[in-house]
Amino acid sequence: MTRRYCSLPRQPSPAFAPGLAAERLSALVGGRRMWVNGTALHYYFFDADTDASVIPVPGTAETRLVPWAGAKEQLDVVRESFREWQDLGIGVTFTEVLDRCEAELRIGFQLGDGSWSAVGRDALSVGLGERTMNLGWDLTEPGGRWTALHEIGHALGMRHEHQSPFAGLHWDDEAVYTDLFGPPNHWSRDKTHFNILRTLDPSEANGSVWDPQSVMQYPFGPGLILEPEQYHNGLYPPGSLSPADKEFVLRWYPPAGSPAALVPFRSVPLGLGTGEQADFALEPPETRVYSVGTFGASDSVVVVFEERDGEPRYLAGHDDGGTPHNARLRVRLVKGRRYFVRVRLHSTWGSGETAVMCW
């Protein structure tokens, strides 16, 4: 099968306040694209004759106007793919709408523009008249469903698996550039580097272990991967949702009412005031001592409890006594257990509590 690859749109790097602790910065980077669990995501298919744009004709200096609308057969593959993700029992829902102004996800089928999607909440920065996702080839062909599942994975906040820093892939760079420069992709060296050879920051990876079976993993032909040697003759994921894909989305988007339906450890705690945030850096399956939270008020009390038999058990606490500095607390967190972090800020910020699951 001819290998066509997804090309992610570039987004400007986020700006964060100077002086943030490394673990807090990592948590902010890793979670900034994820939707709030329980979000109802609405998707819309462009269908008007005026929904079109001018794109270059590969290998020439010419351009052409190409519509964004897709045939019913294409739309049905995408609908089925949304249902496949939904049927995992995730805590976000997908609903098709007929008004683009109601849709967070707006989908086109422009041939010649490749397949791509905004990653997670990056879609919210796209104008209402523009696409957040494009599916640029026939989805009814072999491998077409993989494309739809892959792009919806991006819409949920997932990144390319082959760019994981845990993959340990050693590329033949020039072979990759040459392969992608030709048809059907016609990519520049810069686009190839951004979408394939560039390694993600660990905080942006889908997990702490590389998953070559992920739906977010590109297939690669012979001679592009030098190491691990077992992939020198090619890497061919099945094009379906892997167990690790399911684990990722259920970790971020657990179903309502489930024991795992907690505020993720990289999320903003409930009840804290504007500007106050607690982030948790955790690398399963290890058990270590971690710095838990950075709370910016000048006088705060931070208490960590471990849940045992449904009851909170005190682990550690900190009261800065009014000393003007950030409250920081180090506790030992164990994989598979649930913790509560309670924060009381003596100033006008108020108080809050968040739940943490160490996966």
Side-chain angles (χ1 to χ4, degrees), residues 23-314:
E23 67 271 15
R24 183 177 185 185
L25 182 61
S26 176
L28 290 172
V29 171
R32 68 189 179 91
R33 289 187 170 97
M34 307 307 292
W35 302 96
V36 174
N37 193 35
T39 297
L41 290 176
H42 307 87
Y43 64 92
Y44 166 83
F45 296 119
F46 285 100
D47 58 1
D49 293 338
T50 53
D51 295 328
S53 59
V54 174
I55 61 173
V57 178
T60 73
E62 300 176 356
T63 60
R64 56 177 176 159
L65 181 69
V66 183
W68 295 351
K72 180 181 182 300
E73 294 78 13
Q74 308 298 314
L75 275 58
D76 285 344
V77 173
V78 180
R79 292 177 178 124
E80 292 167 4
S81 298
F82 273 117
R83 281 195 291 270
E84 186 168 344
W85 279 105
Q86 186 74 75
D87 286 348
L88 297 178
I90 59 178
V92 296
T93 58
F94 302 109
T95 303
E96 183 177 349
V97 294
L98 301 179
D99 185 344
R100 68 188 65 186
C101 295
E102 297 177 3
E104 295 84 10
L105 310 178
R106 297 176 298 280
I107 303 168
F109 298 84
Q110 186 180 47
L111 298 177
D113 194 33
S115 290
W116 48 264
S117 173
V119 179
R121 291 193 301 136
D122 284 350
L124 299 178
S125 65
V126 179
L128 289 177
E130 298 297 325
R131 295 162 292 169
T132 68
M133 182 187 299
N134 191 71
L135 300 158
W137 46 80
D138 188 354
L139 301 181
T140 64
E141 294 181 349
R145 188 179 179 87
W146 169 84
T147 298
L149 290 170
H150 179 99
E151 300 307 339
I152 295 171
H154 283 315
L156 287 168
M158 300 182 75
R159 307 301 294 268
H160 284 145
E161 189 67 17
H162 55 274
Q163 294 184 276
S164 168
F166 310 110
L169 296 176
H170 179 199
W171 302 94
D172 184 332
D173 291 9
E174 290 304 319
V176 174
Y177 285 131
T178 300
D179 186 66
L180 273 292
F181 183 74
N185 298 289
H186 302 285
W187 282 4
S188 66
R189 292 176 69 92
D190 182 62
K191 182 176 284 190
T192 297
H193 179 267
F194 183 78
N195 287 282
I196 295 182
L197 300 178
R198 178 179 62 101
T199 301
L200 297 173
D201 183 88
S203 64
E204 297 180 289
N206 298 331
S208 58
V209 178
W210 177 47
D211 175 24
Q213 304 300 305
S214 172
V215 77
M216 307 309 294
Q217 170 67 52
Y218 283 177
F220 292 104
L224 303 183
I225 299 174
L226 299 177
E227 294 178 351
E229 188 175 352
Q230 70 190 89
Y231 299 114
H232 185 67
N233 291 324
L235 193 167
Y236 304 101
S240 56
L241 302 183
S242 72
D245 293 333
K246 300 173 186 178
E247 180 183 352
F248 175 86
V249 291
L250 287 171
R251 185 170 76 237
W252 276 105
Y253 309 121
S258 74
L262 308 171
V263 178
F265 57 79
R266 285 175 283 190
S267 290
V268 179
L270 300 175
L272 291 187
T274 303
E276 295 302 312
Q277 187 157 359
D279 302 311
F280 304 87
L282 207 55
E283 304 239 350
E286 300 179 40
T287 301
R288 298 192 216 153
V289 174
Y290 295 90
S291 294
V292 179
T294 301
F295 305 89
S298 62
D299 48 348
S300 60
V301 176
V302 184
V303 182
V304 179
F305 298 88
E306 178 184 7
E307 186 183 72
R308 288 289 185 92
D309 301 321
E311 297 294 331
R313 174 187 175 189
Y314 175 84

